[in-house]
């Protein structure tokens, strides 16, 4: 255990967290194969852009089955003009779903809902969609950081994980949404972030903190500068009820616009079962569960873990994360205390195996790589780029691929900060990890090789690849992909 983390835990255990019980996020469940809801985008009383559902400021969890349809009546009641004079357009992206990139579904390049207008989304869940955690959030170019960063995001659960892991059926299940809400929720403040930052050595010095540095010398590797208070299901900290030796399934979403969370529960057992919505066992030859001591979740990514209840209260913390010399600060956070609730905290239960559900076909055995490509993520003092191009909606696709194929991409980070690679519509296999992902970190000055899966004909069309640090995306680190 890092020295700083041991000191932190000793300090907290000497006091008390005194936190409320983790709230259950309201849910919309599909009925007759359709999940239906009305969602409104508007400013909340504090002036932040927010989702409203049934008159409440909340983003409900949408719970569906493979083959279902999500229907959302989406109204944009944001102000006509925001911050620096931009029209407050909005839209919705259904992150991780293998679905058609066409209106009125998961299409964000030309689909923009102007203020005082609405759209009716109809998003078809494929019959072979892997069972797991996905999410929905706005994706209007130049406004994503403002809207996502202020909390406009909700979870999507595709049922059926017990078909692949029958031992999970009946376990208590928790949907956990982590956010990093800025102190200043204005558009002007969000816009100010959409430019490359100075190296940490050139920023104003900040005091050391137990949670920020392993050695307390020089620049803290994760920094102490932060503009907001990370929250767990809307609270700065919570208690999570779990009986000793009880196994619970936690579906964890990092819905922040730019903050990494490196989660650990020192002293408790954590078994990873899915990443980015895809059970680990869906990769040919991979183990279905993997015991880990921590799980790093980049912005936009998801992890599903089975937590075994400890004998005595323990803390759920996010360790500090080093995003590189030019990266944002990611100091440590105490999110929750695990306490014995005697099974009294009401939660959903993992559904039993579903009947008549086809198993996902995500193996790569016998496939041939159709094309090899190389992409470079770049930045200078003004903008962000992919292959020397800063995104504009008018630009043609950077990549043109063919349906029914797989491609090998070498993605390079040519900068001194972490970037977060995300591809819409499709998953990809990361070389050396035996995992299917839709969102991964690119370490500074590094390369990663991935196999991109374009075999499902439903994704034919034009969609996006980009950095999921939302200010980098708004700043131009995005490009189009067309599948013919």
């Amino acid at each position: 255990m890092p020295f700083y983390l041991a000191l932190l835990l000793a300090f907290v255990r000497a006091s008390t967290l005194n936190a409320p019980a983790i709230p259950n996020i309201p849910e919309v469940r599909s009925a007759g194969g359709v999940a239906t809801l009305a969602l409104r985008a508007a400013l909340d009383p504090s002036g932040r852009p927010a989702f409203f559902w049934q008159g409440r400021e909340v983003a409900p969890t949408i719970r569906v089955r493979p083959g279902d349809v999500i229907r959302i009546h989406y109204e944009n009641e944001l102000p006509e003009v925001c911050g620096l004079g931009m029209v407050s357009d909005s839209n919705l992206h259904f992150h991780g779903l293998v679905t058609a990139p066409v209106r009125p579904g998961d299409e964000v390049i030309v689909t923009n809902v102007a203020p005082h207008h609405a759209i009716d989304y109809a998003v078809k869940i494929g019959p072979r969609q892997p069972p797991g955690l996905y999410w929905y959030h706005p994706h209007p170019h130049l406004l994503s950081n403002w809207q996502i960063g202020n909390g406009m995001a909700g979870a999507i659960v595709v049922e059926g994980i017990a078909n692949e892991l029958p031992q999970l059926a009946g376990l208590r299940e928790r949907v956990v949404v982590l956010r990093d809400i800025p102190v200043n929720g204005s558009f002007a403040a969000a816009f100010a972030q959409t430019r490359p930052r100075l190296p940490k050595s050139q920023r104003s010095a900040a005091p050391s903190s137990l949670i920020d540095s392993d050695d307390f010398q020089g620049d803290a590797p994760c920094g102490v500068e932060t503009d907001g208070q990370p929250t767990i299901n809307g609270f700065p900290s919570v208690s999570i009820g779990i009986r000793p030796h009880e196994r619970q399934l936690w579906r964890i979403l990092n819905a922040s616009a730019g903050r990494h969370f490196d989660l650990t529960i020192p002293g408790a057992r954590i078994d990873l079962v899915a990443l980015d919505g895809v059970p680990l066992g869906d990769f040919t030859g991979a183990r279905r569960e993997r015991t880990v001591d921590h799980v790093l979740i980049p912005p936009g990514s998801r992890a599903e873990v089975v937590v075994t209840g400890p004998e005595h209260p323990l803390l759920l913390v996010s360790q500090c994360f080093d995003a590189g010399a030019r990266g944002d600060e990611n100091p440590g956070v105490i999110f929750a205390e695990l306490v014995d609730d005697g099974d009294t905290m009401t939660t959903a239960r993992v559904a039993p195996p579903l009947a008549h559900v086809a198993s996902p076909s995500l193996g790569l055995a016998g496939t041939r790589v159709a094309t090899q490509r190389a992409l470079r993520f770049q930045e200078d003092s003004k903008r962000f780029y992919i292959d020397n191009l800063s995104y504009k909606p008018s630009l043609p696709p950077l990549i043109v691929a063919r349906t029914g194929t797989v491609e090998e991409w070498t993605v390079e980070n040519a900068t001194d900060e972490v970037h977060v690679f995300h591809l819409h519509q499709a998953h990809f296999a990361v070389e050396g990890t035996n995992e299917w992902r839709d969102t991964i970190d690119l370490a500074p000055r590094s390369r990663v090789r991935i196999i991109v899966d374009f075999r499902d004909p439903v994704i034919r069309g034009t969609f996006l690849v980009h950095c999921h640090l939302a200010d980098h995306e708004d700043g131009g680190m995005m490009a189009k992909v067309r599948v013919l």
Side-chain angles (χ1 to χ4, degrees):
M1 181 186 302
F3 177 61
Y4 79 90
L5 184 56
L7 287 176
L8 170 71
L9 297 180
F11 171 78
V12 173
R13 283 171 182 155
S15 58
T16 177
L17 212 54
N18 195 28
I22 186 171
N24 294 320
I25 300 169
E27 293 189 347
V28 174
R29 291 177 174 261
S30 64
V34 181
T36 304
L37 66 153
L39 202 61
R40 183 169 63 93
L43 295 185
D44 69 8
S46 66
R48 298 177 184 278
F51 282 146
F52 290 83
W53 172 73
Q54 294 187 348
R56 302 168 56 189
E57 184 181 341
V58 66
T61 297
I62 302 171
R63 196 174 285 269
V64 292
R65 298 182 175 200
D68 286 352
V69 176
I70 299 173
R71 295 190 179 276
I72 301 179
H73 178 72
Y74 187 49
E75 298 180 0
N76 183 0
E77 293 301 330
L78 292 170
E80 192 76 34
V81 176
C82 63
L84 302 179
M86 294 184 61
V87 176
S88 301
D89 288 342
S90 191
N91 56 22
L92 293 177
H93 170 45
F94 298 85
H95 184 128
L97 295 183
V98 183
T99 188
V102 296
R103 289 173 62 98
D106 188 25
E107 199 290 319
V108 297
I109 297 172
V110 298
T111 302
N112 284 300
V113 186
H116 313 303
H117 288 75
I119 187 173
D120 289 304
Y121 281 98
V123 179
K124 175 74 172 178
I125 310 295
R128 294 184 178 274
Q129 181 74 44
L133 182 63
Y134 304 90
W135 65 304
Y136 60 95
H137 62 80
H139 209 298
H141 183 47
L142 302 178
L143 297 170
S144 293
N145 192 42
W146 180 54
Q147 295 182 19
I148 299 171
N150 279 290
M152 294 179 68
I156 300 171
V157 174
V158 177
E159 297 278 34
I161 196 167
N163 287 63
E164 304 193 32
L165 293 162
Q167 66 272 27
L168 301 187
L171 299 187
R172 283 199 282 180
E173 173 188 330
R174 300 189 185 278
V175 175
V176 178
V177 179
L178 307 179
R179 295 185 173 91
D180 185 30
I181 305 298
V183 173
N184 187 339
S186 70
F187 174 75
F191 182 81
Q193 299 177 39
T194 60
R195 58 176 64 92
R197 306 185 68 189
L198 291 171
K200 289 178 182 177
S201 60
Q202 298 179 29
R203 301 179 202 165
S204 60
S208 296
S209 168
L210 292 182
I211 198 169
D212 298 312
S213 176
D214 287 333
D215 57 12
F216 312 111
Q217 297 177 3
D219 287 340
C222 313
V224 296
E225 175 186 328
T226 179
D227 187 38
Q229 168 61 56
T231 61
I232 176 169
N233 288 12
F235 286 81
S237 60
V238 297
S239 63
I240 300 177
I242 183 168
R243 291 179 288 104
H245 310 294
E246 177 191 4
R247 282 162 54 89
Q248 291 186 2
L249 176 65
W250 294 5
R251 303 180 186 265
I252 307 170
L253 160 63
N254 183 350
S256 65
R259 186 159 180 160
H260 286 71
F261 295 116
D262 189 4
L263 301 179
T264 185
I265 309 171
R269 176 167 174 160
I270 305 172
D271 292 299
L272 184 67
V273 297
L275 285 167
D276 291 347
V278 183
L280 299 185
D282 283 2
F283 194 100
T284 304
R287 296 168 56 188
R288 293 190 175 275
E289 293 190 43
R290 186 168 75 240
T291 301
V292 297
D293 57 12
H294 73 110
V295 56
L296 175 62
I297 311 179
S301 189
R302 291 88 60 214
E304 292 166 84
V305 299
V306 175
V307 176
T308 300
E311 294 281 0
H312 52 79
L314 293 177
L315 295 178
L316 169 66
V317 301
S318 177
Q319 303 177 102
C320 66
F321 172 76
D322 186 358
R326 288 182 176 267
D328 292 334
E329 287 76 7
N330 288 262
V333 181
I334 304 166
F335 273 122
E337 185 175 22
L338 280 64
V339 298
D340 182 359
D341 69 336
D343 205 8
T344 59
M345 289 187 184
T346 303
T347 71
R349 299 272 177 174
V350 178
L354 304 177
H356 312 299
V357 172
S359 297
S361 178
L362 293 173
L364 289 172
T367 59
R368 181 179 63 86
V369 171
T371 302
Q372 293 179 316
R373 304 183 191 274
L375 298 178
R376 290 188 92 213
F377 280 42
Q378 305 151 298
E379 62 185 69
D380 59 25
S381 61
K382 296 180 180 179
R383 300 286 291 171
F384 297 92
Y385 310 87
I386 298 180
D387 283 3
N388 298 312
L389 295 172
S390 190
Y391 179 80
K392 296 179 181 178
S394 59
L395 286 174
L398 180 65
I399 293 169
V400 178
R402 293 200 170 273
T403 189
T405 66
V406 300
E407 296 191 352
E408 181 184 284
W409 294 5
T410 299
V411 186
E412 178 185 1
N413 178 357
T415 79
D416 292 317
E417 66 175 311
V418 167
H419 293 292
V420 180
F421 177 89
H422 171 52
L423 178 65
H424 287 210
Q425 317 307 131
H427 280 77
F428 49 85
V430 184
E431 183 183 58
T433 64
N434 293 343
E435 297 166 353
W436 288 104
R437 303 296 299 269
D438 60 44
T439 307
I440 57 167
D441 272 338
L442 302 175
R445 304 293 171 180
S446 72
R447 291 183 177 88
V448 64
R449 187 171 293 126
I450 62 176
I451 301 296
V452 185
D453 189 357
F454 293 127
R455 290 175 293 177
D456 194 326
V458 75
I459 65 172
R460 186 182 285 113
T462 303
F463 45 90
L464 295 170
V465 58
H466 62 88
C467 178
H468 217 291
L469 300 175
D471 56 331
H472 297 188
E473 166 193 329
D474 284 347
M477 193 170 273
M478 185 159 67
K480 295 177 186 175
V481 177
R482 180 172 294 163
V483 178
L484 303 175

